[in-house]
Amino acid sequence: MTDSAAFEAFVAAWHPRLLRAAILISGDRHLAEDVLQDALLKLARRWPKVHTDPAGYVRTTLYRDVASRWRRRREFAYGQPPDHADHDTSEASDLKVVFARALARLPVKQRAVLVLRFYEDLPVGEVAAILGVSPGTVKSQTHAALKRLREVAPELEEVLI
C-alpha cells in the first residue's frame, strides 16, 4: 500500500471518531471541523514519520491547536451541543445534551483529559504523553474535572464516576 493510500485509509477509518473527540474538546462543531482539518493536513505532511501512530499524532495536534486558539482568543463561543446521528428521543439523549453542555463549561485541559480518558478510553500514561504533562497531572485534572462536572450539572451525579 502506498503512503497516499495508507493515509486515505486512516482518514476514512478514523475521521468520525476524531471529529467527535474534537467537538467534545473544542465545544464547537465548526471549530472542531477546522481544527481536525488542520491536524489532518499536518499529519499528511509528516505521514512517513508518524504513520506508526497517526491517531496519537492527530489527538495531540487537536488538543494543542484548540488550546492555542483558546489562549489567543481567551473566550469561547459555545454553540449547541454536537449533532448526534442517532436522533433518539429517549432519556439517554437528554443526558447526552446535559453532558455536552456541562463539558463545554470546563477549561480546555480538563475537557481534553475527560475526552481522552473516558471517550477515547486511553490509559493515563498515553493521555499524559498526548497532553505533554505528567501522569499525576492527568489524574489530578481528571479529579478536578469530575468535581466541576458534579457542580455544574448535578443531574449527572448518577452517571459520573
Side-chain angles (χ1 to χ4, degrees), residues 28-130:
D28 179 86
R29 182 178 184 87
H30 300 292
L31 175 60
E33 290 170 348
D34 290 345
V35 172
L36 178 58
Q37 186 67 29
D38 290 345
L40 290 173
L41 285 172
K42 290 175 184 177
L43 175 64
R45 285 187 219 119
R46 297 187 45 98
W47 182 258
K49 294 181 181 179
V50 297
H51 72 276
T52 57
D53 184 21
Y57 179 86
V58 173
R59 285 184 188 110
T60 301
T61 304
L62 283 174
Y63 166 72
R64 290 181 180 166
D65 287 355
V66 169
S68 176
R69 287 176 189 227
W70 180 82
R71 280 186 212 108
R72 282 193 306 256
R73 289 180 24 192
R74 285 290 181 206
E75 65 181 49
F76 262 160
Y78 294 106
Q80 295 298 316
D83 295 332
H84 296 287
D86 51 5
H87 298 300
D88 62 29
T89 56
S90 68
E91 191 173 307
S93 69
D94 293 339
L95 196 58
K96 289 176 187 177
V97 170
V98 170
F99 180 74
R101 287 185 179 149
L103 192 62
R105 295 178 66 188
L106 297 178
V108 174
K109 187 173 273 188
Q110 289 181 356
R111 206 173 326 141
V113 166
L114 291 181
V115 170
L116 293 171
R117 284 285 291 130
F118 301 113
Y119 177 75
E120 294 284 336
D121 199 28
L122 298 176
V124 171
E126 196 169 335
V127 173
I130 289 170

